[in-house]
Amino acid sequence: MGRRKLSVAVLKGGRSLERGVSLTSGARVEDALERRGHRVVGIDVGHDLVARLRAADPDVAFVALHGRDGEDGTVQELLEVLGIPYTGSGVSACIRCTDKVLAKHAMRDAGIPTPDFLSFNETAFKELGAAEALGAIEERLGFPLVVKPADQGSALGIKFAADAAAVPGALVAGFSYSTKILLERHVTGTDLAVSVLGDEALPVVQAIPADAGAYDFEARYNIGNTTFVCPADLPAETTAQAQELALAVHRLLGCQGFSRVDLMRDDATGELTVLEANAVPGLTETSLMPLAAEAAGIGFDELIGRIVGLALD
């Protein structure tokens, strides 16, 4: 792309539960684009999105939306209808990444290591008596286990069930965020993240929560609640394996431009397992992709420029 001056519509905000994170990401992106000399139109996404996009007539849209509508292929489909190039992955990849269950089935089918899991929607519990099978579910996955909404990001709604007594409450919490929940074997170990830019895996980031074992929404986005180490303190072969797994997942799910893949390293065995992939990684001050890019010698402004360039390529 060089340094051609562009008109860029930055899509941010929206109405998902991750609105605040998106507004922060979008503001940082806007500042970076303006520093690079582009004409920036910030759009807080709402019912007038199509009208505002037509009025702006941008060369490209930078999708800084997180959560539903922005990360699940909805706005991407709309941008394709309008003929506007956009950053990040296409519709089908966004759908696969947003649905953690779909992504984990794809990984398991492809032989990519991911913690054992089961998934149920509300109908299974309300109409099919799935609660009667909880004992068998718990026996298969063991304790502690992790209960997650199937289609939320930013660690929203994640609960750790230490024993059988904690499972019902965790399920109620999960269903308050989504109609489908994921029950996953808990891996005691190190939280890792590998961001992918183009076809390159960036340095591995290690997250160390101040409250051990609680890498939730607050730990992720409140400065000081988590220490991030990049490059992660890992053996060289483990780093290489983590990056290879991230690239494999990025390609398997059909991601384009950029993504972030979250992994766990088992403390007991050293085994790496993939938790999920993010088609629209956060770009806030505490987000992991900018940190990884910086460790690779790519400043934030250059990172944003590269993402826009990949969209136009």
Side-chain angles (χ1 to χ4, degrees), residues 3-157:
R3 292 301 296 270
R4 180 164 68 93
K5 306 309 178 190
L6 302 167
S7 171
V8 186
V10 177
L11 308 187
K12 59 184 180 179
R15 299 295 177 265
S16 82
L17 294 173
E18 296 174 74
R19 171 177 170 79
V21 177
S22 175
L23 287 172
T24 303
S25 288
R28 292 194 79 208
V29 169
E30 287 175 26
D31 289 345
L33 290 168
E34 287 174 351
R35 286 191 294 268
R36 293 180 69 83
H38 300 305
R39 184 174 70 86
V40 179
V41 180
I43 299 177
D44 188 346
V45 171
H47 68 279
D48 59 349
L49 175 59
V50 171
R52 294 186 67 180
L53 282 170
R54 283 178 169 157
D57 190 25
D59 296 308
V60 61
F62 196 110
V63 180
L65 291 162
H66 305 306
R68 291 174 184 167
D69 298 338
E71 210 165 341
D72 62 4
T74 302
V75 80
Q76 288 80 6
E77 189 103 62
L78 189 56
L79 288 164
E80 291 191 6
V81 169
L82 296 175
I84 300 172
Y86 57 89
T87 57
S89 296
V91 176
S92 60
C94 287
I95 291 170
R96 285 189 286 268
C97 289
T98 298
D99 189 328
K100 294 180 176 66
V101 178
L102 189 63
K104 282 177 68 72
H105 275 291
M107 287 188 277
R108 188 158 67 183
D109 291 347
I112 292 173
T114 187
D116 195 14
F117 67 97
L118 293 164
S119 175
F120 299 94
N121 58 25
E122 284 185 302
T123 301
F125 283 91
K126 291 180 177 178
E127 300 179 21
L128 302 180
E132 296 298 320
L134 279 177
I137 293 168
E138 294 156 0
E139 183 177 348
R140 170 171 158 175
L141 298 178
F143 287 105
L145 59 81
V146 187
V147 179
K148 306 177 180 180
D151 55 1
Q152 290 290 341
S154 296
L156 284 167

Side-chain angles (χ1 to χ4, degrees), residues 21 209-210 215-228 284-287:
V21 177
Y215 189 36
D216 54 13
F217 183 90
E218 287 73 21
R220 186 168 294 190
Y221 291 106
N222 291 343
I223 294 174
N225 283 10
T226 299
T227 299
F228 299 104
T284 72
E285 289 185 1
T286 59
S287 294

Side-chain angles (χ1 to χ4, degrees), residues 223-242:
I223 294 174
N225 283 10
T226 299
T227 299
F228 299 104
V229 179
C230 186
D233 184 16
L234 298 169
E237 60 271 22
T238 304
T239 294
Q241 184 187 2

